[in-house]
Amino acid sequence: APFLSGGGYCSEATSFLKTMAAAGAPVQIIQHGDSINAEFLNGLHREEAELVARHMQSVHLDPSVSVAICHSEPGAWHPPKWPTSRCPPPDALYSIGRTMFETADVPPGWIARLKAMDEIWVPSTFNVETFTQAGVPADKLVVVPEPVDTEFFSPARGTERPFVYNNTKSYRFLSVGKWEARKGWDILLRAYLTEFGPTEDVCLVIHTQPYHSDRPITEAIAATIREVLGMDPAGN
């Protein structure tokens, strides 16, 4: 799983790791499926960083007698569409793919990869329906709901690191997600920039991160506004 990347797959996999480690299950983890995000790593809590490091560096299991879980977008599964660690290992005893997709249309190339796994874990019955309709055998699909760290995501914790906004706008829209096409950033930006002008008392706060790219996010946003939408990033 992309334990060192941040994002949804990362946080979900880390929550699974915490649960399995607490239960005493032997778990070896490998960075897989996405690039390493230094900013994310620098912001990790010490306990979580130590947990990930321990299971990445000190636990070593024999794949031939182990269950391999490829917790990522299927494009990263072997053979991967971009450079990443191999998953599943060639000699894995049993191979599980953990993935999901938000729309009824399954991306091109996914079906063969899903079928190649012994088992597929999805977070809800929605993907059981969509994957089955796309051709994945129903007996491969198992619903494993998404985990939530209720100790961390608790109102009792309060806000440890409040976000500092660099503007004085009184009404703020917030959007959270990776910078990739399926998140619909072009639709969001077109709607916001069409509706609001630079002098209005509103702002759009985008909490995002690169996706298979080293391009600075500010440049990616400006390029989308300029090249995809045909608008001026400066608002003129």
Side-chain angles (χ1 to χ4, degrees):
F3 287 98
L4 310 180
S5 306
Y9 278 112
C10 170
S11 62
E12 184 186 57
T14 302
S15 293
F16 277 131
L17 172 62
K18 290 178 180 178
T19 301
M20 290 188 286
V27 182
Q28 175 186 355
I29 65 173
I30 297 173
Q31 168 66 12
H32 162 78
D34 207 344
S35 57
I36 296 175
N37 186 330
E39 183 178 358
F40 164 74
L41 295 178
N42 290 336
L44 274 180
H45 285 264
R46 186 187 67 183
E47 296 82 0
E48 189 166 303
E50 291 175 348
L51 175 71
V52 169
R54 183 166 62 253
H55 285 269
M56 189 169 288
Q57 300 171 2
S58 303
V59 180
H60 302 282
L61 304 177
D62 180 358
S64 66
V65 293
S66 303
V67 175
I69 303 175
C70 301
H71 193 130
S72 66
E73 179 184 327
W77 302 349
H78 186 77
K81 294 183 177 181
W82 55 85
T84 189
S85 58
R86 177 165 179 162
C87 194
D91 54 345
L93 175 66
Y94 194 81
S95 299
I96 297 174
R98 167 62 170 189
T99 194
M100 62 210 71
F101 203 70
E102 296 92 333
T103 71
D105 295 327
V106 180
W110 274 35
I111 302 305
R113 293 170 179 268
L114 293 169
K115 287 182 176 180
M117 291 292 189
D118 296 306
E119 194 170 297
I120 300 295
W121 288 356
V122 294
S124 70
T125 56
F126 173 75
N127 278 146
V128 171
E129 297 171 2
T130 57
F131 289 0
T132 301
Q133 292 171 0
V136 179
D139 59 2
K140 284 183 177 285
L141 298 166
V142 179
V143 175
V144 179
E146 292 195 9
V148 177
D149 185 343
T150 55
E151 293 184 0
F152 182 83
F153 293 102
S154 169
R157 288 177 60 93
T159 302
E160 296 184 357
R161 295 188 300 167
F163 187 83
V164 178
Y165 294 91
N166 295 320
N167 62 65
T168 58
K169 302 292 187 178
S170 61
Y171 198 96
R172 300 159 182 160
F173 294 96
L174 172 65
S175 183
V176 181
K178 286 185 293 187
W179 192 261
E180 56 177 325
R182 71 188 182 94
K183 299 299 184 182
W185 292 113
D186 56 332
I187 299 172
L188 171 67
L189 291 171
R190 183 184 298 278
Y192 178 80
L193 295 173
T194 299
E195 179 65 25
F196 302 108
T199 61
E200 296 189 64
D201 192 24
V202 298
C203 69
L204 172 61
V205 179
I206 296 177
H207 183 78
T208 187
Q209 65 190 65
Y211 183 63
H212 302 309
S213 173
D214 295 327
R215 189 178 196 180
I217 283 297
T218 52
E219 291 184 11
I221 294 175
T224 298
I225 295 173
R226 182 175 54 252
E227 300 166 10
V228 179
L229 306 182
M231 305 174 77
D232 183 358
N236 299 320

